[in-house]
Structures are given as structure tokens and as C-alpha cells.
Amino acid sequence: ATGPRGVRKGKGPRVSEPTSATLLERIRDVNDEDAWSRFVAFYQPMVHRYARRQGCSEAMAWDVVQETLVDLMSIMPRFEYRPGAGNFRAFLRRVVWHRVSCAFRRERRYVPLDGESAPETATAGAEDDGRRPDRAWEQEWQEQLLQTALRRLREQVEERTFAAFHAYAIAGRDPEHVCAELGMTPNALYQIRHRLMTQLRRTVEWLEGELDHDGP
């Protein structure tokens, strides 16, 4: 997916929230339904897409999602914030990779009746302990951050303003065409881009703090 340039590089105050505890701290309480709902809304589609990219079928990918969440509900009550111990998304990737490997091991236990072989796409599971850098996982993380930040931004501004920003700054459409389509001046479009890009950067920074501080 196309993304705006420089979103990760911006600086500025973080978007404030009504609670001082981050989402990762709150989900240590498995009974905090609001926190878990927000956590699942962010990470579930990311884990599902990653599992599919590793070669999982649709059913296998959903098994990976559900088993990962069950693992986390057991792990998170013992979660401790330890600066310097690594970020949460790297830890989560190891949990997910383990579940992807388990899903393929289960598949290989069964021989389909039609004689076809079981999937072999994720045979690297035996060679990968989930700790090496993974470009696919990082790409899914960046995409999920951007899409979540864009949804939040869309809820905070007028529809026409967001349409202009998305067309010009995100989709990369020609500014003249955007102005003609939405009936605005180039100066107005450039101001919208500057203002909303700043807001988007701040939202991305806040999401990172909520969803990926140092952890296990």
C-alpha cells in the first residue's frame, strides 16, 4: 500500500489519552475488556496477514490468530516493562512464528484423501527460532500503524478535508486534479497536507508508545 513520505520521522507531542497506562500495561489484566478489544483490533489483522504471507491457508491463519491470543492471555499477566530488553512487537513475532510452525506441523500429520501433499511453504519453521529480523513482519507492522492512524485521523476531520489529504499525501495523486475534483485552491490543499501530516505523525508516535514499548 502507498504511504506518505516522512510519517515516521516527524516529532511533536504525543496525542493525549484519558489514561496514563499504556495499552500493553492494561492488558496485563485479562478482565480489562476495553484494553483487550483495542489490542485485538490492532494486532489481529496484522497477525492474520503475516500468517498468510508465510503460506498458511485461510483456516490455518485464523488458527494462528486464535492460538496467539490464547498464548498472550497466559503471558501478559506476567508481562514486565523492562527498558532495553527489546520491543514488544519482536517478542510477539516469536510467539506468532511458533504458532505458524505448529500449524504446518499439524498439516503434515494428515495425508489428504485426494493424494495431494500437505503444504510445504513454511518448512523454514524448523530453521527459524523467530528471533531473526523479518522484513515481512516489519512491513505488516508499518502498514497496520499507518492504517490505524489514518482511521483515527479520518474520525477527527471533515470528510472533504480528509479526502483531499488522502488523495494528495497518501495516494500521491496530482494536486491539480485533486483541487479540481474537490473545488479547492492549491494553497488550501498544501495547508491541509501540512496540518494533517503533522497530526498523522503524532498519532503514529502515540500508537507506537501504546502498542510497542520495551517488554519481554
Side-chain angles (χ1 to χ4, degrees), residues 44-72:
Q44 177 174 288
M46 176 178 163
V47 171
H48 180 268
R49 291 196 306 266
Y50 178 77
R52 290 287 281 160
R53 287 180 69 166
Q54 301 312 306
C56 288
S57 67
E58 185 71 8
M60 290 168 65
W62 283 116
D63 284 344
V64 168
V65 169
Q66 295 303 318
E67 291 167 4
T68 297
L69 292 175
V70 170
D71 286 344
L72 291 176

Side-chain angles (χ1 to χ4, degrees), residues 11 27 56 82 91 122 134 158 172 190 204 206:
K11 300 295 182 182
I27 64 171
C56 288
R82 299 197 307 272
F91 163 75
D134 189 313
E158 295 181 354
Y190 299 146
V204 166
W206 176 78

Side-chain angles (χ1 to χ4, degrees), residues 27-109:
I27 64 171
R28 293 176 64 182
D29 178 2
V30 295
N31 295 313
D32 189 335
E33 294 182 2
D34 175 67
W36 275 97
S37 177
R38 290 170 56 195
F39 179 87
V40 171
F42 182 88
Y43 276 113
Q44 177 174 288
M46 176 178 163
V47 171
H48 180 268
R49 291 196 306 266
Y50 178 77
R52 290 287 281 160
R53 287 180 69 166
Q54 301 312 306
C56 288
S57 67
E58 185 71 8
M60 290 168 65
W62 283 116
D63 284 344
V64 168
V65 169
Q66 295 303 318
E67 291 167 4
T68 297
L69 292 175
V70 170
D71 286 344
L72 291 176
M73 292 190 76
S74 174
I75 293 168
M76 293 311 296
R78 305 189 303 274
F79 176 88
E80 293 182 2
Y81 177 72
R82 299 197 307 272
N87 57 41
F88 178 80
R89 76 174 183 270
F91 163 75
L92 178 58
R93 190 253 168 181
R94 295 195 294 273
V95 176
V96 175
W97 181 261
H98 170 69
R99 285 303 170 186
V100 168
S101 299
C102 288
F104 274 91
R105 284 197 294 270
R106 284 196 301 268
E107 285 292 309
R108 288 192 290 270
R109 290 185 189 142

